[in-house]
Amino acid sequence: MWALRRSSISLKNRGITFGSFRAGCAKVEVASCYQESDAEIAGHAQVISDRFVCTRRYHQKQYESLEFYIGKRHLSSHAGMKSTEDEEDDLGDGFSELETSVGADENQARSVPRGSNDDLISDSELSHGGCDDEVAGLKKELELSDIDAKRSKKKFEQKRTSGQLFNAVISAPGLSIKSVLDKWIEDGNEVNKSDILMINLNLRKRKMYGRALQILEWSADRYEFSERDYASHLDLTAKVQGLIKAEQYIEEIPKAYRGEVVYRTYLANCVATQNVKKSEEVFNKMKDLGLPLTAFTCNQLLLLYKRTDKKKMADVLVHMENENVKPTVFTYNLLIDTKGLSRDITGMDQIVETMKEEGIEPINHTLNIMAKHYISAGFKDKAEAVAKEMEGGDLRDNRAACRYLLVLYSLLGKADEVARIWKLCQSDANSYEYVAAIEAFGRLKKIKEATEVFEQTRKRWPRSSVKVYSNLLKVYADNKMLTEGRDLVKQMAESGCVIGPLVWDSLVRLHVDAGEVEKADTILHKAIQQKQMKPLFNSFIAIMEQYSTKGDVHNAEKIFHRMRQAGYVARLQQFQILVKTYVNGKTPAYGMNQRMKADNIFPNLQLALMLVQVDPFKKTPASESLD
């Protein structure tokens, strides 16, 4: 651990002390969602998007930071649960817009063999997809609180009656789920707890959190809840109704069940919304209650400070050392990515060496993170070496690496290598490989090939998911193919796909790139009004930057306000763009310093210089002569 602290020392500002908030610990394979409302979409699906933080502020657009941090927020009670990544029900069922990944078991995380499928879950959103401003990864969604749900999956799929109940829940109006269940019972059918758990698991896979919450509320008076059941209920409450309601629900949980699983689940939701004050309060509460200090909580804090205040990350590492909390694969991946984002490649390599010294071999996901940062920093030879390491002796024996290699070789501009990898896995490609192939061919400007992969996916899974559509839409957006993008969205609507944040973001980018900023603004405004899913952070930023360039203070302030309404907390980037708007518009910014202070935002040098330019009370030669 000391070696890890030493290799990360540049993160620490010696004036910051960890003791100021008394942080603590648990395992990091889980985060939670940013959404706090849920409603009907396209007349049939209630969903809440649980992502969104992107890496563009740190990366050049071409090298969006690791898929590792992008992805689903998983219920903390499921940290460590595994499933194979090539289960192909993802596409058939409409797998998540966010990439999911195979999770490393907590008890085995320190001995995961290189090349295994055990990739940790992500913390942020799709690199392109305007998450919030970070990173992402993949893990099969087992968000149900009770492990019995996993054991009963096969039984559930074989029970036709349970399948009929699930279909009834899916097709029912959004607020009538309880009546559907009551009617099912009245008709003489049985609903046992395993049915409830599995229905909830499948609803979570589709991000239908509102329906899942209604089912748990319905079952609360009918079945005995475990702590993990309460944690699942808490997680859904936070996703659908927000942190305040979730905190109130904790008080309703019997004291005997208010354990570490419940509080870490709430902590994960606080971290996901980047609520620093509340996250630290929850951690201190866990410490006061004497709950176990594990790697999960420490990793959540690392994740929080990685997004909000990197100087505090070293303090968390000190705390982990003092409490003898061993770093997990996720811990190392967070630190590796942080170093890579700051272009400290030497520091990144040192952390990798420390990881190996601790007996943890980098898994495919870790290697993927490293390679993308090498590419971003211009070390293409190193990236190619990592790619070859991922391939191993025979790629057919290491199929789990294909989805990463497709993207990495496209970032390296190696069209032949992309074609070679795709040829190897094309005949029996899984959902992740299809998505990666669309992205890779699109980045290489091979629109025809990307479209062909898309059509192959639709033939294999007629009910192709939003993820497949949104990836092709991103290709069209990157290549400024406005007409094709609009046609694809119409096709999505006709096929019954849910139009959500990834699609909105691509549409916004399509219209911004086409110079139709007002149209992009209209699309985003309609998305906000639906109050079903929160648009991506980058969707707002893309429009706000356009208004800023024009010096359009009124519309830039409007977007700034809408971000608040959507639930995004103020950040330095937003104020930088806003103040730049005032500079470009040659307009004084009254009260800007006070606004920043109220949001606990402290200007960097660049912002401080711009604030001087727009200070309405700054001294000028004319004003000094009048004085």
Side-chain angles (χ1 to χ4, degrees):
M1 175 68 82
W2 172 247
L4 180 60
R5 283 177 55 198
R6 190 171 59 241
S7 64
S8 304
I9 197 67
S10 63
L11 295 174
K12 182 175 175 63
N13 180 321
R14 298 183 186 276
I16 303 295
T17 57
F18 187 77
S20 63
F21 59 84
R22 303 160 51 208
C25 319
K27 176 187 174 196
V28 142
E29 295 187 47
V30 177
S32 185
C33 99
Y34 287 105
Q35 301 313 104
E36 298 183 2
S37 61
D38 188 11
E40 200 72 3
I41 292 183
H44 72 277
Q46 277 186 306
V47 295
I48 297 290
S49 173
D50 66 347
R51 9 185 342 254
F52 314 120
V53 211
C54 28
T55 64
R56 288 189 196 164
R57 80 163 63 165
Y58 305 107
H59 274 242
Q60 298 175 12
K61 180 179 178 181
Q62 183 179 5
Y63 305 122
E64 304 110 8
S65 177
L66 49 165
E67 294 167 303
F68 162 69
Y69 287 95
I70 313 165
K72 301 177 184 175
R73 308 281 187 260
H74 293 317
L75 184 62
S76 59
S77 58
H78 278 86
M81 294 182 70
K82 291 184 176 184
S83 70
T84 56
E85 69 173 322
D86 54 358
E87 287 182 298
E88 296 177 356
D89 58 341
D90 269 327
L91 276 176
D93 291 341
F95 71 91
S96 168
E97 312 170 332
L98 312 177
E99 296 191 63
T100 51
S101 126
V102 188
D105 187 276
E106 181 169 8
N107 297 324
Q108 300 174 356
R110 299 183 57 78
S111 59
V112 177
R114 183 176 306 179
S116 84
N117 291 348
D118 297 319
D119 303 326
L120 294 180
I121 91 173
S122 68
D123 93 76
S124 106
E125 1 193 78
L126 275 176
S127 38
H128 91 277
C131 325
D132 169 311
D133 48 354
E134 293 237 19
V135 275
L138 296 119
K139 172 169 182 168
K140 208 56 180 170
E141 184 169 10
L142 291 173
E143 301 221 5
L144 242 283
S145 59
D146 199 319
I147 196 171
D148 290 338
K150 182 180 178 184
R151 295 170 179 165
S152 64
K153 182 174 183 180
K154 183 176 181 181
K155 179 180 178 181
F156 169 82
E157 292 175 339
Q158 292 175 344
K159 284 182 64 177
R160 183 176 180 183
T161 55
S162 295
Q164 291 174 340
L165 176 57
F166 177 71
N167 289 334
V169 169
I170 286 288
S171 59
L175 300 177
S176 62
I177 305 305
K178 295 179 183 179
S179 61
V180 169
L181 295 169
D182 289 337
K183 179 67 164 54
W184 186 264
I185 296 292
E186 291 172 5
D187 291 343
N189 298 303
E190 181 182 355
V191 179
N192 55 46
K193 187 175 180 180
S194 63
D195 293 330
I196 293 296
L197 293 175
M198 281 313 309
I199 290 174
N200 252 33
L201 183 147
N202 281 281
L203 288 172
R204 283 177 174 272
K205 287 176 67 175
R206 292 160 175 80
K207 300 190 186 306
M208 296 182 178
Y209 300 128
R211 294 166 191 261
L213 177 59
Q214 290 182 65
I215 288 178
L216 278 188
E217 290 174 343
W218 178 87
S219 62
D221 297 329
R222 291 170 173 80
Y223 308 107
E224 182 179 353
F225 268 26
S226 66
E227 182 180 359
R228 293 180 182 272
D229 294 324
Y230 284 115
S232 182
H233 195 169
L234 172 66
D235 181 65
L236 290 168
T237 301
K239 283 178 166 64
V240 177
Q241 299 175 352
L243 295 179
I244 295 177
K245 288 290 186 181
E247 187 170 20
Q248 293 171 353
Y249 175 73
I250 291 178
E251 297 302 315
E252 299 175 12
I253 299 175
K255 288 187 177 180
Y257 295 100
R258 291 185 215 164
E260 188 262 345
V261 173
V262 165
Y263 279 99
R264 79 183 186 194
T265 299
Y266 184 51
L267 174 64
N269 280 278
C270 294
V271 170
T273 59
Q274 298 190 40
N275 190 325
V276 177
K277 182 179 179 180
K278 181 58 68 175
S279 297
E280 293 173 353
E281 286 178 0
V282 174
F283 172 76
N284 291 332
K285 177 73 171 180
M286 294 175 70
K287 190 173 182 179
D288 293 339
L289 292 173
L291 298 176
L293 300 180
T294 67
F296 177 81
T297 305
C298 289
N299 285 336
Q300 286 295 307
L301 290 171
L302 285 171
L303 182 59
L304 176 68
Y305 295 133
K306 179 177 181 293
R307 299 171 180 172
T308 60
D309 188 353
K310 293 181 178 60
K311 295 186 294 292
K312 288 186 177 181
M313 293 180 70
D315 295 310
V316 180
L317 296 176
V318 172
H319 188 73
M320 292 177 70
E321 181 183 7
N322 292 339
E323 298 295 330
N324 196 30
V325 177
K326 298 296 183 182
T328 64
V329 176
F330 193 85
T331 310
Y332 285 108
N333 282 344
L334 276 171
L335 297 175
I336 290 169
D337 185 57
T338 302
K339 288 291 187 179
L341 290 172
S342 63
R343 297 294 191 274
D344 183 1
I345 301 302
T346 300
M348 184 179 77
D349 290 341
Q350 289 175 350
I351 291 177
V352 174
E353 288 305 313
T354 301
M355 181 180 181
K356 293 179 179 178
E357 290 171 4
E358 292 293 320
I360 303 179
E361 283 297 311
I363 58 179
N364 280 334
H365 207 54
T366 307
L367 296 172
N368 181 55
I369 297 171
M370 294 167 56
K372 286 190 173 182
H373 285 307
Y374 284 143
I375 295 171
S376 182
F379 296 99
K380 292 191 175 183
D381 290 342
K382 284 190 173 184
E384 288 187 48
V386 172
K388 292 301 180 184
E389 182 180 356
M390 293 174 71
E391 285 199 44
D394 188 344
L395 187 57
R396 287 172 294 186
D397 297 329
N398 190 22
R399 274 294 297 275
C402 285
R403 71 171 186 246
Y404 301 114
L405 291 170
L406 285 165
V407 176
L408 288 178
Y409 281 129
S410 71
L411 288 169
L412 289 165
K414 293 184 173 294
D416 291 342
E417 293 297 314
V418 171
R420 174 177 67 86
I421 301 296
W422 179 238
K423 183 178 180 180
L424 183 147
C425 60
Q426 181 177 6
S427 60
D428 61 340
N430 61 38
S431 59
Y432 303 106
E433 290 162 349
Y434 275 115
V435 169
I438 293 173
E439 179 183 347
F441 284 124
R443 179 175 286 107
L444 293 168
K445 308 298 181 183
K446 294 183 174 293
I447 311 302
K448 179 181 177 182
E449 288 82 351
T451 304
E452 288 175 351
V453 174
F454 170 76
E455 293 299 336
Q456 291 172 23
T457 308
R458 293 191 65 208
K459 288 179 181 178
R460 185 166 180 180
W461 293 286
R463 293 176 56 208
S464 294
S465 78
V466 171
K467 177 61 180 174
V468 177
Y469 281 98
S470 62
N471 254 39
L472 184 61
L473 186 58
K474 178 183 179 294
V475 171
Y476 290 152
D478 290 341
N479 290 277
K480 298 178 174 57
M481 301 170 66
L482 181 59
T483 302
E484 290 81 356
R486 286 172 171 169
D487 291 343
L488 184 62
V489 172
K490 291 178 182 178
Q491 187 177 343
M492 291 179 66
E494 292 170 356
S495 65
C497 282
V498 173
I499 308 298
L502 282 177
V503 178
W504 296 333
D505 185 65
S506 294
L507 283 172
V508 166
R509 292 177 55 225
L510 273 168
H511 288 87
V512 166
D513 291 342
E516 300 182 6
V517 182
E518 290 74 15
K519 179 63 175 178
D521 191 340
T522 301
I523 291 172
L524 190 59
H525 184 53
K526 289 181 178 179
I528 297 171
Q529 287 180 319
Q530 292 181 28
K531 297 181 180 180
Q532 296 158 338
M533 294 178 286
K534 179 159 62 175
L536 303 188
F537 180 84
N538 266 20
S539 299
F540 292 97
I541 293 298
I543 298 174
M544 193 173 175
E545 285 178 335
Q546 294 299 311
Y547 287 136
S548 178
T549 300
K550 297 178 179 180
D552 189 340
V553 172
H554 171 74
N555 281 311
E557 285 279 13
K558 177 186 67 179
I559 298 298
F560 186 93
H561 177 65
R562 286 180 181 172
M563 293 181 78
R564 293 291 187 91
Q565 288 181 316
Y568 285 109
V569 296
R571 305 178 198 171
L572 180 64
Q573 183 184 11
Q574 294 161 269
F575 277 104
Q576 284 179 317
I577 298 173
L578 185 61
V579 174
K580 187 177 180 180
T581 308
Y582 280 90
V583 172
N584 292 337
K586 296 180 174 56
T587 305
Y590 290 91
M592 188 62 71
N593 286 313
Q594 289 74 16
R595 290 170 64 181
M596 294 177 60
K597 185 177 181 180
D599 285 318
N600 201 31
I601 300 295
F602 300 95
N604 56 20
L605 178 59
Q606 179 186 10
L607 180 54
L609 292 174
M610 288 193 295
L611 284 169
V612 172
Q613 296 180 57
V614 297
D615 183 359
F617 305 109
K618 68 180 178 180
K619 294 291 185 180
T620 65
S623 63
E624 288 180 354
S625 63
L626 290 174
D627 290 340

